[in-house]
Amino acid sequence: MVETVTTREPMSGAALRRAGAPAPQLSVVVPVYNEEESIPHLHQRLTAELEKLGITYEIIAVDDGSRDRSFSLLSDLARHDRRWRVVRFRRNFGQTAAFSAGFDRARGDVVVTIDADLQNDPADIGALLEKIGEGYDVVSGWRERRQDPFLNRRLPSMIANRLISWATGVYLHDYGCSLKAYRLDVVRGIRLYGELHRFIPAIASWQGVAVAELPVHHEARRFGKSKYGISRTVRVVLDLLTVRFLLSYGTRPMQIFGLLGLLASSLGVAIGAYLSWIKLVYGAAIADRPLLLLAVLLIVLGVQFVSLGLIGELIVRTYYETQAKPIYVVREELNGA
Ligand code: UDP
Ligand code: MG
């Protein structure tokens, strides 16, 4: 569980509501980790673009344990511009935790996430909102002309996007793009762990949401440096296994582990039966046959898989029942008068 520890936060969303502050139409969530040079430009560009849209908005900047002047710059902004809210983590918890803290506090009907490093263009927010207006629940930016190095960035990302799309059934060109828009209830219904933020569209698909994709601009990083390296690819693939499992067997682990167990043990029993047959009927020596080892291995494996499935079932029940989590999401409900 990712605990979002904060200090000196001006006011939580609930506290603001209690204080009677009207909810803005849009919440922009910005994760910030050592981005001191970018922050003044970010403020200026966001303000210019959002004011053009003529809507009420708030910007929730989440300082993810920066060690530079990011926090002091952000707190200056919040002092001068009431639309800026700042959350400061005690240490670096990662981008997913930062998004999560932003989502927990967001009050706008629509939540937009954007990077602090100016690689995304705030001018695209208007188009994202238009798409949401058309009825989509999630609109994902697609960095069609991505300005990052090919070999260690674009190529692994291309492969990862194909893989994620195929495995989750939600086809997107660019899962990695931070510039995305969501309806508030979509992000509220999602708990994020580890580094799962890039899978939000796929995780949200469990709720039955309409997902759209929109080409957005992308610029090369001007200040500071990227917080990630090539090792991210491996972690994305591992995360994908988790997401894939949760999406398809999250509430019925027995069906996957049980199936594997049944397959393994049936094969083991079949091989064992064959060996017994040739031993008993033909008197063949089977003690030194590798097949015997395989039979034993498969049966033991089968029993383990089935046990794992049963334990999984128990855990799923605990998971849903301790938190009174529903295993479904209702779109609407009509009760005759
Ligand atoms: N970020 C963060 N915590 C981290 C790493 C990154 O809040 O541990 C922020 C970072 O400040 C930036 C965004 O997440 O606003 C994306 O990071 P980065 O630009 O390094 O990723 P890239 O664009 O290279 O994929
Ligand atoms: Mg970046």
Side-chain angles (χ1 to χ4, degrees), residues 31 33 35 64 92 95 116-117 119 153 221 226-227 232:
Y33 182 44
E35 308 282 5
D64 184 13
N92 179 241
Q95 205 179 339
D117 58 5
Q119 288 199 266
R153 275 306 166 84
R221 203 180 233 282
S226 173
K227 313 301 182 288
R232 170 160 72 182

Side-chain angles (χ1 to χ4, degrees), residues 55-218:
I55 50 169
T56 54
Y57 67 87
E58 64 180 357
I59 293 174
I60 307 176
V62 184
D63 174 16
D64 184 13
S66 298
R67 281 182 295 269
D68 62 2
R69 293 183 306 125
S70 294
F71 178 72
S72 86
L73 292 174
L74 290 173
S75 47
D76 279 348
L77 285 180
R79 243 188 317 267
H80 292 111
D81 188 340
R82 294 187 53 80
R83 295 168 297 195
W84 279 67
R85 300 166 60 194
V86 185
V87 181
R88 186 188 197 184
F89 284 173
R90 278 190 185 274
R91 65 166 174 85
N92 179 241
F93 281 95
Q95 205 179 339
T96 298
F99 279 140
S100 199
F103 295 158
D104 289 343
R105 286 160 181 79
R107 298 173 299 148
D109 302 327
V110 181
V111 181
V112 164
T113 53
I114 190 167
D115 279 350
D117 58 5
L118 304 165
Q119 288 199 266
N120 300 130
D121 187 353
D124 288 319
I125 294 178
L128 291 181
L129 295 184
E130 245 168 59
K131 266 284 192 238
I132 292 272
E134 284 172 24
Y136 291 98
D137 303 293
V138 177
V139 182
S140 180
W142 167 20
R143 298 164 291 180
E144 221 176 347
R145 284 191 198 82
R146 188 170 166 186
Q147 305 298 322
D148 278 323
F150 180 76
L151 217 54
N152 64 352
R153 275 306 166 84
R154 291 195 341 252
L155 182 68
S157 140
M158 229 162 71
I159 299 170
N161 283 311
R162 292 267 166 84
L163 213 60
I164 300 172
S165 299
W166 169 76
T168 62
V170 180
Y171 286 84
L172 291 182
H173 289 92
D174 193 2
Y175 269 91
C177 180
S178 286
L179 186 57
K180 292 188 167 87
Y182 312 92
R183 278 181 208 284
L184 183 64
D185 44 339
V186 171
V187 290
R188 278 285 159 79
I190 293 177
R191 304 281 343 142
L192 292 174
Y193 300 90
E195 291 183 50
L196 292 190
H197 64 268
R198 65 175 60 76
F199 294 98
I200 299 176
I203 300 173
S205 74
W206 180 83
Q207 300 181 21
V209 297
V211 181
E213 195 170 39
L214 198 74
V216 294
H217 299 100
H218 191 244

